[in-house]
Amino acid sequence: MLNRYSFIKLIILLSFIPYYSHAQSVQNLERKLLTASNREKTAIFIKLGYKHVNDNPQTSLEFGKDALENAKSVNDQKGRAMAFGLIGQSFYKLKNYKQAEDNFDEEGELIEQSGKPWMINRFNLGLSSHNRGKERKAINSFEASLEEAKKLKNEEYILKNYEALFNVHVDKNRYKTALKYFELYINERDEKFLEQNRHEINQMQNAYKAEIGELEVEKEAIQDTLGIARDKLTMLQLEQKVKDLELKHEKLKQTRMMWVILLLAIIAMIILIFYFQKQRSNKIITAEKAKSDELLHNILPAKVVKELKENGKSNPENFQEVTVFFSDFVGFTKLSSAIKPETLIAELNELFTRFDEIMEKHECERIKTIGDAYLAVCGLPEKNPGHVNNILHASLEISEWLAQRNKNNSLNWQIRIGVHSGNLIGGIVGIKKYIYDVFGDTINTASRMESNSEAGCINVSEQTRKQAQNHFTFIERPKIEVKGKGKMKMYFLKGAKK
């Protein structure tokens, strides 16, 4: 018997077997290099490289470069392609994704665009491009690999490509497309699992039928023997054997049934786990979609958001009947230089948040703020017959709220407001950072109304006054010279009629 120390030595020796086997394999390849021809050396360099690619990618990179140089010297195109593939995988393990991508591109130029090498090359190229942020190239590479994997019925790379495409689209916040690849991944894995288990169940059923058949034959043979030797003493023994076989038959039946039930229970449990995983993923994607929708509604009008979601775009429109609100604060530059930046931002945030609430209350749409300037419109993107009254009511409420706030605040903000009615063009500007903007002479005129207003006053144009004179009272002002427009009639809004 082994003593305790001999046993420990044996365990230590056994633990070195895998390492020894790997070392022997590398040594054998290195010995072959000494006698190999130049054409044979390329393949040996590549085999040596792949021995080190996971544990020492820097060494595998050197073997890859040796293989490439040797393949070029003997004009071995296949060897060059394999060398580029090894170099690409070495750079990928070293996290040098640009060099990895370049070498996978070189490999792709040399190999036939079909078959297993092409499938693996496209997948590796997709991983490198994804890590470099080249989204479109990564998607094209994964889709090419997936198409070839389906032709070859390669389950491993079908699943790998579904998972890779899911990750690319999740990184780009395209949750709907990501969910599609997640479902394909789950369905493919479920189908593979069920197919394997269906095969095992069929084997069990066939074996069960075969054993039942053998038992039936044996039973019939015994019954025949009983019929012949009924009058002999052995009849009792044969009858007992029949009973034993029937009992064995019943136990076998029960055992088979228990195995089938257990296997079905395992399958049901796995399917249930996959189902809950899918439900959890759906909840995550739904929550992220809700966040995206809320962000869109904060920066774009509701109608425009709906058009973007349904059509992927929103066409600009010409709006004939709108009223524009334009304001800024008197002495803003002087005041902003006298207070801390964080105090200034906090003040503007409070002021404009309240302006937004008042505008929303009166069915108006804030377009944008530029510094201390605030631009809002009523009558777009949805038509509103009360656009003039709505803007004027909002203007009065903003002016009154600001006057009340100044009584209880150390910082005193004096606002100038200008209002004009007319037509303008509205639409989305930009493709990366969406902004809904408005254009036209109506905007310029509203700006002129504001610049010619006074602190705490609401200056309106002649056109706006005509449309609102039945509901509001105004104070007429002398005609004022306006740049680019000549002398214009203007009015201060006094209040709403009771």
Side-chain angles (χ1 to χ4, degrees):
M1 293 181 64
L2 290 172
N3 61 34
R4 190 172 74 176
Y5 298 107
S6 298
F7 181 74
I8 293 172
K9 290 179 182 178
L10 178 60
I11 293 298
I12 294 172
L13 181 62
L14 290 173
S15 68
F16 278 99
I17 288 177
Y19 174 79
Y20 178 76
S21 176
H22 174 76
Q24 282 292 100
S25 176
V26 171
Q27 289 176 2
N28 290 338
L29 289 170
E30 289 174 345
R31 280 197 294 270
K32 285 183 179 180
L33 273 176
L34 300 175
T35 57
S37 65
N38 285 338
R39 185 166 291 274
E40 292 172 337
K41 285 180 179 179
T42 300
I44 296 173
F45 280 135
I46 290 170
K47 288 180 181 179
L48 283 167
Y50 277 111
K51 291 287 184 182
H52 297 283
V53 73
N54 289 317
D55 58 348
N56 193 345
Q58 188 62 48
T59 300
S60 71
L61 177 61
E62 297 303 322
F63 280 119
K65 290 178 178 179
D66 291 343
L68 179 60
E69 184 179 350
N70 192 76
K72 287 180 178 179
S73 69
V74 296
N75 196 24
D76 181 0
Q77 180 170 320
K78 182 179 178 182
R80 285 172 60 206
M82 294 172 67
F84 279 126
L86 173 59
I87 294 170
Q89 291 201 36
S90 301
F91 275 124
Y92 186 84
K93 293 289 184 180
L94 292 167
K95 297 185 178 180
N96 188 337
Y97 301 119
K98 181 181 184 307
Q99 291 289 349
E101 182 183 12
D102 291 344
N103 280 275
F104 288 136
D105 279 330
E106 293 284 355
E107 180 191 17
E109 292 292 330
L110 295 172
I111 63 176
E112 185 179 351
Q113 295 187 2
S114 63
K116 188 174 181 180
W118 176 251
M119 174 188 72
I120 297 173
N121 171 262
R122 292 297 92 181
F123 179 76
N124 289 334
L125 180 60
L127 291 177
S128 302
S129 301
H130 182 202
N131 279 286
R132 293 197 66 209
K134 293 186 173 182
E135 170 202 354
R136 178 44 49 195
K137 185 174 182 181
I139 290 173
N140 291 339
S141 300
F142 288 138
E143 288 178 345
S145 177
L146 176 61
E147 181 181 356
E148 199 61 32
K150 287 179 178 178
K151 289 180 184 177
L152 300 173
K153 296 182 179 179
N154 189 309
E155 296 288 343
E156 178 187 1
Y157 274 84
I158 290 174
L159 290 173
K160 279 186 175 182
N161 281 290
Y162 281 150
E163 182 179 6
L165 286 164
F166 167 81
N167 289 330
V168 171
H169 289 291
V170 164
D171 288 348
K172 292 298 179 181
N173 297 328
R174 290 196 288 268
Y175 300 110
K176 185 175 180 181
T177 306
L179 178 59
K180 180 188 78 173
Y181 285 110
F182 179 80
E183 289 174 343
L184 289 170
Y185 176 87
I186 293 298
N187 292 337
E188 184 73 24
R189 193 168 65 177
D190 288 353
E191 183 63 30
K192 182 180 178 182
F193 178 80
L194 292 173
E195 183 62 34
Q196 291 174 345
N197 283 279
R198 275 199 294 269
H199 178 67
E200 291 178 7
I201 290 171
N202 289 336
Q203 285 184 326
M204 290 172 63
Q205 289 177 337
N206 292 335
Y208 170 72
K209 290 178 181 178
E211 289 189 30
I212 293 298
E214 291 175 1
L215 289 172
E216 290 295 335
V217 171
E218 190 175 350
K219 180 181 176 180
E220 289 176 2
I222 292 171
Q223 287 175 338
D224 290 343
T225 304
L226 281 173
I228 297 170
R230 192 177 300 274
D231 56 340
K232 295 183 179 180
L233 184 63
T234 56
M235 185 176 71
L236 292 174
Q237 295 173 338
L238 291 172
E239 286 177 348
Q240 184 60 43
K241 193 170 184 181
V242 169
K243 289 178 181 179
D244 291 341
L245 287 171
E246 287 177 344
L247 183 61
K248 183 180 178 182
H249 180 192
E250 189 62 31
K251 286 183 179 179
L252 180 62
K253 229 169 125 181
Q254 292 175 358
T255 302
R256 295 296 181 191
M257 184 59 67
M258 286 178 63
W259 276 108
V260 170
I261 292 171
L262 179 61
L263 185 58
L264 291 174
I266 292 171
I267 294 171
M269 184 175 65
I270 293 173
I271 292 173
L272 192 61
I273 291 170
F274 287 158
Y275 171 77
F276 283 122
Q277 285 179 342
K278 186 175 178 181
Q279 289 293 99
R280 186 175 65 178
S281 299
N282 286 343
K283 286 181 180 178
I284 293 171
I285 291 171
T286 301
E288 292 298 328
K289 182 176 178 296
K291 289 181 184 177
S292 299
D293 288 347
E294 183 180 357
L295 181 60
L296 278 175
H297 281 290
N298 284 338
I299 62 176
L300 298 174
K303 180 185 175 185
V304 175
V305 173
K306 183 179 179 183
E307 290 175 352
L308 284 174
K309 290 170 69 176
E310 292 178 353
N311 308 318
K313 63 179 182 178
S314 177
N315 295 322
E317 291 184 70
N318 192 346
F319 301 93
Q320 297 299 321
E321 295 182 5
V322 295
T323 299
V324 178
F325 170 102
F326 209 104
S327 74
D328 74 351
F329 295 107
V330 179
F332 175 79
T333 303
K334 182 179 178 181
L335 183 60
S336 63
S337 63
I339 60 177
K340 294 180 179 179
E342 55 268 29
T343 303
L344 176 65
I345 295 302
E347 286 285 308
L348 287 177
N349 181 58
E350 181 183 349
L351 294 169
F352 287 159
T353 298
R354 182 57 185 152
F355 287 12
D356 287 348
E357 292 170 354
I358 294 171
M359 286 297 175
E360 185 176 355
K361 171 185 171 182
H362 293 285
E363 301 178 352
C364 303
E365 190 80 35
R366 191 275 292 270
I367 300 301
K368 60 183 175 182
T369 62
I370 306 172
D372 66 319
Y374 184 99
L375 174 62
V377 177
C378 188
L380 68 77
E382 300 285 351
K383 291 183 179 180
N384 191 328
H387 58 93
V388 177
N389 292 350
N390 290 1
I391 283 287
L392 294 182
H393 280 302
S395 301
L396 286 169
E397 188 170 342
I398 286 172
S399 181
E400 291 167 3
W401 174 81
L402 190 58
Q404 186 63 36
R405 183 184 186 275
N406 286 338
K407 293 178 182 179
N408 305 311
N409 197 297
S410 59
L411 289 175
N412 197 292
W413 297 94
Q414 298 295 325
I415 194 169
R416 280 193 303 256
I417 299 175
V419 179
H420 178 61
S421 304
N423 64 299
L424 49 77
I425 296 171
I428 290 180
V429 177
I431 58 173
K432 288 189 176 180
K433 295 183 178 179
Y434 285 139
I435 182 172
Y436 187 86
D437 212 344
V438 289
F439 312 89
D441 188 64
T442 301
I443 303 297
N444 297 332
T445 304
S447 176
R448 299 288 186 270
M449 292 299 108
E450 177 273 327
S451 61
N452 286 284
S453 185
E454 294 178 5
C457 295
I458 303 165
N459 193 34
V460 303
S461 66
E462 171 70 6
Q463 186 171 342
T464 300
R465 184 198 69 84
K466 285 181 180 179
Q467 296 184 59
Q469 60 187 351
N470 293 332
H471 302 281
F472 296 87
T473 58
F474 301 87
I475 300 172
E476 186 174 356
R477 304 178 65 191
K479 286 188 177 181
I480 298 175
E481 183 70 24
V482 176
K483 182 180 178 181
K485 294 183 177 294
K487 289 189 175 183
M488 293 185 67
K489 293 184 73 174
M490 303 179 189
Y491 302 81
F492 282 140
L493 175 61
K494 185 175 181 182
K497 292 181 179 180
K498 295 184 180 179

